[in-house]
Amino acid sequence: MVVAAALPLVAEYGAAVTTSQIARAAGIGEATIFRAFKDKDEVLDACVAEAVGTDHVLRELATISLDEPLDVRLTEAAEALRAHMERMGTVVGALHASGHLRPGRGGPDGREGHDEREGRDGREGRDGREGRGGRGEGRDGQHGAGPPPDARAQSFLALRDGVVELIEPDRDACRLSPEKVATAFLGLLFTRLHTPAPGAEAPLSPEELIAVLLHGSLKHPGSDR
């Protein structure tokens, strides 16, 4: 509750946000915050962990209906992942700009970095197999706001596996394995999310990205599309 209330305030004010503001947003007394957190820095660390963690977006991927056509499933996944990346960038950027995430700063336990929940605990997925890509909840690891390479790799694999589950019903219709299609999907999506250079064309829309992924960029003979 505290972290959920704090996230939009951290995005707006960075480290300048006060615990009294957070308490008002959460509808609790300020003293209640300090029953759960040692100090404001620990609240901010928890906000970073929530922003960079994959649990939230993996739960969103898990709600996408497998009864929808594949292009619709992937478009919904693209929107969920875009929102996740934008929230992560906003929160982490605001804290960097206000000096909270300075180099060498330790995490809540004195080690470098912050908690990131990876979003895979092995619970069963929709198809009865071991949960993949966040159909389960999380396991904790200590990572920085920009997670170290192994944490980034783990997060990428968790996201990939979440997308694989969305592609799996159409495995037989794909020329490549769902794992390779999911990797290509994430590669296209993350490239699209980079800030374009001045004067560059607008990035692909989610619909255009999915069309290129599933059907390529060449027109079909006798078609304008």
Side-chain angles (χ1 to χ4, degrees):
M1 178 174 64
V2 172
V3 173
L7 276 170
L9 295 172
V10 171
E12 183 174 358
Y13 299 107
V17 67
T18 66
T19 51
S20 62
Q21 287 175 306
I22 295 171
R24 284 196 299 273
I28 59 176
E30 189 173 5
T32 304
I33 293 176
F34 298 110
R35 295 193 189 107
F37 300 93
K38 180 178 67 176
D39 52 26
K40 188 180 84 171
D41 275 352
E42 200 167 90
V43 177
L44 297 180
D45 288 337
C47 288
V48 173
E50 176 66 18
V52 305
T54 55
D55 277 1
H56 179 78
V57 68
L58 290 171
R59 286 193 294 269
E60 288 197 26
L61 294 180
T63 67
I64 297 173
S65 173
L66 298 181
D67 294 329
E68 296 286 353
L70 179 58
D71 59 337
V72 173
R73 276 176 261 150
L74 291 179
T75 298
E76 291 182 19
E79 291 292 355
L81 288 160
R82 178 195 58 78
H84 166 68
M85 296 297 291
E86 287 186 356
R87 181 178 70 159
M88 179 171 65
T90 299
V91 170
V92 173
L95 289 175
H96 267 299
S98 55
H100 178 72
L101 298 178
R102 58 189 179 275
R105 183 180 177 279
D109 62 355
R111 291 185 287 172
E112 282 291 321
H114 311 275
D115 283 343
E116 178 180 346
R117 306 201 182 275
E118 291 298 339
R120 286 165 51 153
D121 69 350
R123 290 197 300 177
E124 287 193 351
R126 284 195 266 225
D127 58 1
R129 291 177 294 174
E130 283 243 329
R132 304 169 63 185
R135 305 294 176 183
E137 288 303 314
R139 83 188 156 199
D140 293 342
Q142 297 296 326
H143 308 309
D150 58 337
R152 284 195 294 269
Q154 290 172 10
S155 294
F156 180 85
L157 288 175
L159 294 174
R160 188 205 65 178
D161 287 350
V163 175
V164 165
E165 282 209 2
L166 297 176
I167 300 169
E168 189 66 41
D170 290 271
R171 173 183 286 272
D172 291 343
C174 295
R175 287 185 294 164
L176 301 175
S177 69
E179 289 76 13
K180 287 187 176 181
V181 176
T183 299
F185 168 77
L186 292 173
L188 285 170
L189 181 64
F190 293 156
T191 300
R192 173 186 178 272
L193 292 173
H194 290 167
T195 303
E201 288 192 28
L204 295 175
S205 68
E207 293 79 9
E208 290 172 330
L209 185 149
I210 303 308
V212 169
L213 176 70
L214 297 181
H215 308 296
S217 57
L218 296 177
K219 294 180 180 179
H220 295 293
S223 171
D224 293 331
R225 300 183 62 184

